[in-house]
Amino acid sequence: MSKPLSDHDRKKQISVRGLAGVENVTELKQNFNRHLHFTLVKDRNVATKRDYYFALANTVRDHLIGRWIRTQQHYYEKDPKRVYYISLEFYMGRTLQNTMVNLALENACDEAMYQVQRRSFRNVQLGLDMEELEDMEEDAGLGNGGLGRLAACFLDSMASLGLAAYGYGIRYEFGIFNQKIVNGWQVEEADDWLRYGNPWEKARPEYMRPVRFYGRTEHGPDGVKWVDAQVVLALPYDTPVPGYRNNIVNTMRLWSAKAPCEFNLKDFNVGGYIQAVLDRNLAENISRVLYPNDNFFEGKELRLKQEYFVVSATLQDIIRRFKAKSNSVLTFNDVLHIQVAIQLNDTHPAMAIPELMRVLVDEEKLSWDKAWDICVRTCAYTNHTVLPEALERWPVDLFAHLLPRHLEIVYEINRRHLEVIAAKYPGDNDRLRRMSLIEEGGQKRINMAHLCIVGSHAVNGVAQIHSDILKATVFKDFYEMEPHKFQNKTNGITPRRWLVMCNPGLAEVIAERIGEDFIRDLDQLQALREYVNDDAFIRDVAKVKQENKLKFAVHLEEHYKVKINPNSMFDIQVKRIHEYKRQLLNCLHIITYFNRIKKEPNKQWTPRTVMIGGKAAPGYHTAKMIIRLITAIGDVVNNDPVIGDRLKVIFLENYRVTLAEKAIPAADLSEQISTAGTEASGTGNMKFMLNGALTIGTMDGANVEMAEEAGEDNLFIFGMRVDDVDKLDMKGYHAEEYYNRLPELKQAIDQIAGGFFSPKQPDLFKEIVNMLMHHDRFKVFADYEDYIKCQEKVNALYKNPKEWTKKVIYNIAGCGKFSSDRTIAQYAREIWGMEPTLEKLPAPDDKQ
């Protein structure tokens, strides 16, 4: 019998990882040794694992630099239209493995590291395992969740589709906090991700830009001047963004705040030189930390400063590049919008609209009408949520203090906007009030979504149902007045990170059947429908899933000290903790299933390992209590001898991109159970689908389109639709009715309320029960009964592995639509006026 392949040899056989040519491997080894040599020469003779990681990262980066330079030269010479994607969040995760995938270097690097360990270097025996080296990299956690991760997927797709694209954001010194669970509670730790340096970024001080705050305006015959402002410098750091095997490398430019040398020294008397130097921190705090809120608006001055900081620095950069372009004989009057597209990722960069107007009117001396025409044609806005608490509404007083000129500009935009409405709908004062950019009554506020709609030529939602809701409710008045502006762009995910990189086994099984072209054209997965009844393919898909589960089970046992049954169904809900995402509904199913097993312990129950993960915003008390409830349920369930390994509950600590890359390929069941009409799209749902999990979900967000693509019979759909939710709102939702009518629901709620899961603190979860019973905006009980019935169907199908896997294949085959390449191609053609291309640039060593 042949001995099983080592992990290294098995990886070598995976063709999607790229060929390990001899020349390539030799060159990589030489460069690795050179980088390691310079690392060690500095101060030590013994290398650490981190030294090896940096040597490898720098070796891989060498392969990016030539392509990066050549790409930028290509853009300069061809002068294509450029798109600027402005986002306060870019949730990038790790870069090393993704770069190796996109440059087809994975197997070559793996082989080089394997060979390096076979020899001595400076009498130090190396034992280099690629996964261990990859684990040395910090996640770039510059985002909260879906919105920031979407931006990262979009950068990958824009590069892979040959678009001249730039991602602009903030280089936060501290990203999303690290989550520790201590005695069942979430505790936050600062994410000092730059502690050891970042090999992927390059500071570009030559492109530093001044950003102004505060001051006052002076109106004179020459126009308006903004004077006595305080200046903060924006220092750019560039990170290369490689396309998939097309030799294109785009740029993500993140701004860091620096105090100018004279800060507080000449302008202010601050009680001496030492204090003045210490006060530089005040300016530099702008880029210190990411606000950790997801779908929640916190109207703090520092946050508004961050929003204007990124917008001001970025627009200066855009205009510098526009003016410097090779054929620049044209003016703003003619072509800014022909050469430049600006996409606003939610309202966070909405200040781009008044800032562009300020630059065009005050500095470039264009007429208001001409400037406004250019502004609207240049900007486009993506909406990400309909939750009222998430919409940005900035107090006018704060605006007046921080950005006095911009307040004047917003007032003028609003004056003209209201004139148009009044002319079109004479006498309709209520409509004027509803559509105004300024909300009166109490504290005056600026509605940033209204500003974005008025100042953009295109407004899009992120799934069809979401875009329909925007037109029918939140932005109904705006849609009636300018229907041509409103579009849908259903979100997508990059198949490079979310299949090839995180699940190479599945990618290879697919490639063996349909070739590798699906990686850049995900619609080709449709061809897998022909294999739904192919026993060998069914076996291969199931085998890969089992291998991924075993690997993740080892990870869980190491980190959580809980013994996992790898034959149990891995039932996973990972996303930010929020009432609307209804982790509480999941909890009620766990408790119900627990009670049923206890009641009939001798029955053949389908074993489940339920995993819930996600961070709660530090100030969101209810979300933190939900985490505490999950951990409390786990403590009881996991230690009950009657239950054994038939049900386990694990809270996945510190959920982040890197943990998603491990968990998602191992999932059997994906929980997407938000109240219909609340989740704009979701993208985790797509990742699970692509990686061979089945979905239990409501008809919300992109779940609707997933059901269309894979066939509704191949998902476990339950619960109210949007219309049902609306009807229930009109009728009135009364939780007690469900509590009194459904004995298992009553039992579960009584257990939570009575301290069954918190015997030492019987009242611990009284607030959660009170919320569910008396003021639950998201109607958990209304969907409980259907959810439990649907979970019974899940259990029944899981007992038939062949039929389960057939549904998995239908799901994978239906994933084509959910590639971010499709999403970006639609943005390009329908909003930005650009044409994607799959053409390759020549490699740096090719003769041009």
Side-chain angles (χ1 to χ4, degrees):
M1 203 173 94
S2 61
K3 68 174 191 175
L5 289 172
S6 71
D7 201 37
H8 171 74
D9 287 331
R10 195 169 56 79
K11 281 180 181 172
K12 271 207 293 199
Q13 295 185 352
I14 298 179
S15 64
V16 294
R17 292 164 54 89
L19 295 171
V22 177
E23 289 172 18
N24 224 353
V25 172
T26 305
E27 184 202 350
L28 285 166
K29 279 196 304 189
Q30 287 171 347
N31 288 340
F32 176 82
N33 284 334
R34 178 171 53 85
H35 282 296
L36 187 60
H37 173 80
F38 286 115
T39 301
L40 295 184
V41 145
K42 282 185 283 190
D43 54 3
R44 351 182 257 292
N45 199 32
V46 178
T48 65
K49 208 179 284 180
R50 180 161 284 107
D51 293 324
Y52 299 138
Y53 160 69
F54 273 97
L56 178 58
N58 285 315
T59 302
V60 171
R61 185 169 166 254
D62 291 343
H63 284 254
L64 279 173
I65 301 299
R67 290 172 171 84
W68 199 6
I69 292 166
R70 182 171 274 199
T71 302
Q72 301 312 313
Q73 281 173 338
H74 173 75
Y75 292 157
Y76 188 80
E77 288 158 12
K78 299 285 183 197
D79 200 23
K81 185 169 188 177
R82 290 166 166 86
V83 59
Y84 297 95
Y85 194 87
I86 311 180
S87 179
L88 269 281
E89 302 184 20
F90 285 96
Y91 202 171
M92 301 297 284
R94 290 174 177 166
T95 295
L96 174 60
Q97 196 185 356
N98 184 245
T99 303
M100 293 190 297
V101 164
N102 280 12
L103 298 186
L105 282 175
E106 226 181 340
N107 267 336
C109 286
D110 208 35
E111 185 60 32
M113 295 304 96
Y114 187 70
Q115 290 182 19
V116 163
Q117 82 174 29
R118 291 281 183 251
R119 56 183 287 271
S120 296
F121 179 76
R122 284 219 183 161
N123 304 316
V124 180
Q125 187 64 36
L126 305 189
L128 298 184
D129 173 74
M130 274 294 278
E131 283 191 30
E132 282 184 23
L133 294 189
E134 287 162 0
D135 273 337
M136 295 310 298
E137 184 174 359
E138 300 279 348
D139 272 43
L142 307 185
N144 278 284
L147 176 146
R149 185 53 234 172
L150 184 79
C153 283
F154 279 4
L155 291 183
D156 180 271
S157 285
M158 289 187 285
S160 296
L161 291 174
L163 296 171
Y166 302 77
Y168 275 92
I170 294 177
R171 180 182 179 265
Y172 300 106
E173 196 177 317
F174 296 92
I176 187 65
F177 60 87
N178 285 315
Q179 178 194 58
K180 290 271 189 291
I181 301 298
V182 179
N183 300 322
W185 297 95
Q186 169 176 296
V187 175
E188 300 88 24
E189 284 184 356
D191 168 40
D192 193 4
W193 72 290
L194 293 167
R195 182 172 52 232
Y196 300 108
N198 175 6
W200 305 105
E201 68 181 9
K202 173 82 177 78
R204 304 299 299 274
E206 65 272 29
Y207 294 119
M208 193 131 62
R209 295 281 169 258
V211 176
R212 295 185 289 172
F213 297 100
Y214 306 112
R216 58 190 175 81
T217 58
E218 285 180 353
H219 293 249
D222 297 333
V224 185
K225 287 194 173 72
W226 180 10
V227 298
D228 297 339
Q230 199 180 104
V231 172
V232 176
L233 299 176
L235 170 64
Y237 285 79
D238 287 357
T239 300
V241 179
Y244 181 71
R245 301 185 187 180
N246 62 357
N247 297 318
I248 285 173
V249 180
N250 284 343
T251 302
M252 175 176 68
R253 177 163 284 183
L254 302 181
W255 301 100
S256 183
K258 292 286 287 177
C261 291
E262 68 274 15
F263 184 77
N264 268 6
L265 288 172
K266 70 172 180 9
D267 296 333
F268 305 100
N269 175 15
V270 290
Y273 164 73
I274 296 292
Q275 191 57 47
V277 173
L278 297 182
D279 282 349
R280 292 168 60 83
N281 273 327
L282 300 175
E284 294 173 2
N285 278 340
I286 290 172
S287 58
R288 194 79 68 205
V289 61
L290 168 76
Y291 271 85
N293 301 314
D294 191 71
N295 277 298
F296 183 78
F297 170 59
E298 187 171 0
K300 295 281 198 291
E301 180 174 345
L302 179 60
R303 173 65 174 188
L304 184 56
K305 270 188 173 173
Q306 288 181 340
E307 293 184 353
Y308 179 66
F309 174 75
V310 67
V311 153
S312 169
T314 299
L315 279 171
Q316 290 179 66
D317 220 29
I318 290 171
I319 286 162
R320 171 193 61 75
R321 196 177 284 116
F322 171 77
K323 285 183 169 180
K325 71 181 192 292
S326 47
N327 64 354
S328 184
V329 286
L330 297 160
T331 64
F332 284 107
N333 271 352
D334 305 304
V335 292
L336 184 71
H337 57 275
I338 294 170
Q339 286 297 110
V340 169
I342 295 173
Q343 190 68 37
L344 308 176
N345 194 26
D346 214 321
T347 56
H348 313 146
M351 291 304 301
I353 291 165
E355 173 66 2
L356 184 54
M357 288 301 290
R358 187 191 68 77
V359 170
L360 295 179
V361 173
D362 294 358
E363 295 179 6
E364 300 296 332
K365 305 300 181 189
L366 269 63
S367 72
W368 181 279
D369 288 337
K370 187 71 214 173
W372 184 246
D373 181 59
I374 290 168
C375 179
V376 172
R377 287 169 181 251
T378 303
C379 295
Y381 158 57
T382 301
N383 172 275
H384 283 274
T385 185
V386 296
L387 293 181
E389 64 267 35
L391 297 176
E392 292 196 296
R393 297 153 61 249
W394 287 105
V396 162
D397 295 346
L398 176 56
F399 239 82
H401 175 56
L402 190 67
L403 299 166
R405 178 57 181 143
H406 297 77
L407 181 60
E408 294 175 354
I409 289 168
V410 169
Y411 275 149
E412 181 61 14
I413 292 169
N414 196 43
R415 185 185 69 76
R416 290 166 179 253
H417 166 58
L418 293 179
E419 272 182 8
V420 173
I421 299 166
K424 191 161 186 179
Y425 304 97
D428 193 344
N429 289 332
D430 204 44
R431 185 181 293 264
L432 286 174
R433 180 189 56 75
R434 292 195 310 266
M435 293 182 75
S436 176
L437 308 191
I438 313 296
E439 296 178 355
E440 309 280 349
Q443 191 182 30
K444 276 173 129 180
R445 290 176 175 271
I446 301 173
N447 185 311
M448 301 304 272
H450 290 185
L451 174 62
C452 284
I453 296 168
V454 173
S456 297
H457 69 280
V459 177
N460 73 279
V462 290
Q464 190 61 58
I465 187 175
H466 169 58
S467 297
D468 291 344
I469 288 169
L470 291 179
K471 293 190 290 191
T473 59
V474 204
F475 301 147
K476 180 173 188 282
D477 294 321
F478 292 91
Y479 174 64
E480 284 175 1
M481 195 164 95
E482 297 185 292
H484 60 275
K485 279 191 179 183
F486 287 79
Q487 302 189 18
N488 173 246
K489 296 285 170 279
T490 299
N491 284 162
I493 58 173
T494 169
R496 273 72 64 179
R497 184 176 292 265
W498 295 111
L499 180 59
V500 179
M501 185 183 125
C502 73
N503 201 344
L506 181 58
E508 187 66 9
V509 162
I510 294 168
E512 282 169 0
R513 288 354 189 254
I514 65 170
E516 288 182 28
D517 286 352
F518 73 90
I519 298 167
R520 57 165 67 78
D521 177 13
L522 209 63
D523 282 329
Q524 292 186 23
L525 290 178
Q526 287 173 21
L528 293 178
R529 292 197 178 113
E530 291 175 28
Y531 295 91
V532 164
N533 295 305
D534 181 315
D535 285 346
F537 187 60
I538 291 169
R539 228 176 8 253
D540 286 350
V541 170
K543 181 168 176 272
V544 167
K545 178 61 70 179
Q546 200 53 36
E547 286 169 357
N548 292 336
K549 288 174 70 174
L550 284 164
K551 191 171 181 183
F552 194 50
V554 169
H555 173 83
L556 291 174
E557 286 171 28
E558 280 173 10
H559 286 78
Y560 301 100
K561 312 296 178 237
V562 176
K563 190 91 177 81
I564 304 296
N565 173 6
N567 296 314
S568 65
M569 182 199 309
F570 282 17
D571 169 355
I572 307 187
Q573 184 179 25
V574 281
K575 50 188 75 241
R576 286 296 290 256
I577 310 295
H578 200 297
E579 287 159 87
Y580 88 84
K581 294 177 187 284
R582 299 201 297 190
Q583 284 91 356
L584 286 171
L585 183 57
N586 195 345
C587 288
L588 291 177
H589 170 251
I590 295 168
I591 296 169
T592 302
Y593 200 50
F594 169 83
N595 288 334
R596 287 181 177 183
I597 298 172
K598 292 282 280 187
K599 192 175 173 187
E600 298 183 82
N602 298 321
K603 202 170 153 188
Q604 284 299 107
W605 299 99
T606 303
R608 282 199 190 217
T609 301
V610 183
M611 303 173 218
I612 303 176
K615 292 172 182 176
Y620 188 176
H621 175 71
T622 304
K624 289 187 147 180
M625 287 308 302
I626 291 169
I627 291 175
R628 186 66 192 89
L629 176 62
I630 296 162
T631 58
I633 293 168
D635 287 341
V636 171
V637 170
N638 299 345
N639 293 299
D640 190 305
V642 175
I643 298 293
D645 66 358
R646 293 180 288 187
L647 180 61
K648 293 288 181 207
V649 179
I650 295 173
F651 186 83
L652 295 174
E653 183 178 82
N654 203 29
Y655 180 65
R656 59 202 186 282
V657 174
T658 295
L659 187 52
E661 290 162 5
K662 294 180 170 75
I664 290 171
D668 291 306
L669 187 68
S670 160
E671 300 264 358
Q672 309 296 336
I673 57 178
S674 52
T675 312
T678 63
E679 187 73 87
S681 168
T683 45
N685 46 3
M686 302 168 188
K687 291 164 195 169
F688 281 105
M689 182 183 184
L690 182 59
N691 281 277
L694 297 185
T695 301
I696 183 166
T698 50
M699 277 298 202
D700 197 22
N703 295 357
V704 178
E705 290 160 78
M706 285 163 51
E708 282 170 14
E709 295 298 306
E712 196 172 323
D713 290 349
N714 296 311
L715 282 77
F716 297 100
I717 298 292
F718 73 94
M720 296 179 288
R721 311 308 202 243
V722 170
D723 288 350
D724 301 317
V725 175
D726 291 342
K727 283 176 193 155
L728 189 53
D729 277 329
M730 286 195 295
K731 178 181 144 227
Y733 168 67
H734 302 292
E736 321 82 60
E737 291 175 10
Y738 302 92
Y739 172 82
N740 291 324
R741 181 167 64 77
L742 303 168
E744 288 185 304
L745 173 60
K746 182 178 190 301
Q747 181 187 4
I749 292 298
D750 290 350
Q751 284 170 313
I752 296 170
F756 180 84
F757 297 105
S758 53
K760 290 180 182 167
Q761 293 173 269
D763 291 345
L764 185 58
F765 301 117
K766 276 284 202 299
E767 289 175 17
I768 282 187
V769 171
N770 184 50
M771 181 275 289
L772 286 170
M773 292 294 291
H774 303 296
H775 38 91
D776 175 12
R777 292 164 59 202
F778 303 105
K779 308 177 177 62
V780 169
F781 291 4
D783 277 341
Y784 168 83
E785 188 175 19
D786 203 20
Y787 180 54
I788 299 296
K789 282 181 183 156
C790 197
Q791 289 282 20
E792 289 168 8
K793 291 181 196 163
V794 174
N795 283 337
L797 187 67
Y798 193 74
K799 287 180 174 169
N800 186 340
K802 188 171 180 180
E803 290 306 310
W804 179 280
T805 306
K806 283 184 181 182
K807 285 191 188 289
V808 165
I809 294 166
Y810 275 119
N811 272 270
I812 297 169
C815 277
K817 178 178 185 177
F818 306 110
S819 170
S820 48
D821 296 345
R822 186 269 315 154
T823 313
I824 286 298
Q826 289 183 332
Y827 275 98
R829 293 184 177 119
E830 297 164 24
I831 296 180
W832 304 332
M834 299 167 76
E835 189 55 37
T837 174
L838 292 177
E839 283 176 35
K840 285 184 175 184
L841 280 187
D845 43 7
D846 289 356
K847 299 223 170 9
Q848 291 195 59

